[in-house]
Amino acid sequence: MLFKSAFSLAVLAIPVFGGTLTVNSATTYQNIDGFGGMDGWTYMENADIDTAFSSSLGLTILRVRVSDNTNDWANIAKSVKEAYRINANIKVLGSTWAPPASMLETTTDTSCKINQKLKKSSWSDYAAHLNSFVTYMKNNGAPLYAISMQNEPDWEWTCWSATEMRDWLKTYGSQITGAKLVAPESLGFSKSWHETILADSTAAANVDIIGGHLYGSTPYSFDSKGKQVWMTEHLLNANVGWTETMSMATEINKVMSSGWNAYIWWYIKRYYSFIGDGEQGSVNGVILPRGWVFSLWAKNVLPGYQRIAITGSSVSFDYTAYSGSNKLVVMVTNTGSASSTVIQLPASFSAYTASFVSQSNQIVSTLSASATTSTSATFNVPASSVGAIVFTLGSSGGTSSTKTTTKATSSSAVTSSIKTTTKTTSSASSGSCSALYGQCGGSTYTG
């Protein structure tokens, strides 16, 4: 409350390409739950988990697989427990690809991408299965924040219809305890799926988080009936160079601008992701340029921060702004080919840090303001770059906080077009892992 009242007078003007970005802290939007990625079938080594959840990348959400095979649970819990050791405040999401085989039946439903469905006679058993995973993780020092009833029900893992998911939630959703319940996690964040669920008051009451993916779609605003909204999976790997990294950054801004609360990338460790896996020219265990860009979000827009209003006219900038912990954060993605001057004018700030990753350096570097007053700072934003400008509120004047440039032996951006993110139908069995779009990782896959 003290922070809000102290900063409620702040209005920022940022001239960009002759235009002006205006941030008004009096207009507030959603709270932020965090930014993270997935650790699935291959299980990262402790060193990689440490890199992901320490101050190196600063991820605040970990997504894991709810395996249909209970023999896998120990390895899943081990990875999660290590992540908690690094950051006790992370949020862990468990997503389900398939129920145990005994609960499945063959279907001839032509609307399904795969010929397997959960038997209706096993709906109660399935709720018990999800609860068992929640309980196991908690008892083994790896508690879940949330659990999803099905990953991509409209794709090729386990087939559901939107009405079936609604009906299961109406009857059994209330039985899931110990973790928030996520649905529907559709492939392209299809409106028909969450609208079907939210239109039923009983089903809606049993869902805590509306989750979904962004394959073949773009973020949009919708009435979530007060539920949290998480983007729980997306990847880009058609061209793993800088262009796709900028596309990811632009997409994150659009997700946040749409009022969603969290953004979760696909695999944390993969040659097109945050940490190299030794494939396609990446160096095993080394942070990739895409990881450095994502870290700007994860480390600076923290859980509990609130998005605030920002408007402007620059065609080369995507931007969002946030407040929290007596700080104001402006995230800037400059897709333009020329540098730009940015001027921030809060009511007053005592210090700032400006961290950028650009096409020319592809690691996190600090940027000093070219001019400051007690209420303004001017930055020459690099071409084709992503930046986080963090102001500490106060009245001491605009001085740069001491910050060491982050250096790493980073592999250069890989530009091969090995695989697109287009999904094609294949026959997957219970608990199987598809090689499509690199979901499984490992040396035998080129996704």
Side-chain angles (χ1 to χ4, degrees), residues 149-161:
M149 61 177 290
Q150 179 61 52
N151 173 75
E152 297 177 349
D154 50 348
W155 194 237
E156 52 185 31
W157 313 114
T158 302
C159 182
W160 295 72
S161 68

Side-chain angles (χ1 to χ4, degrees), residues 222-237:
F222 66 95
D223 182 4
S224 66
K225 307 296 185 183
K227 311 294 181 183
Q228 296 159 266
V229 181
W230 284 22
M231 200 299 290
T232 55
E233 182 186 317
H234 197 204
L235 69 87
L236 300 168
N237 67 349

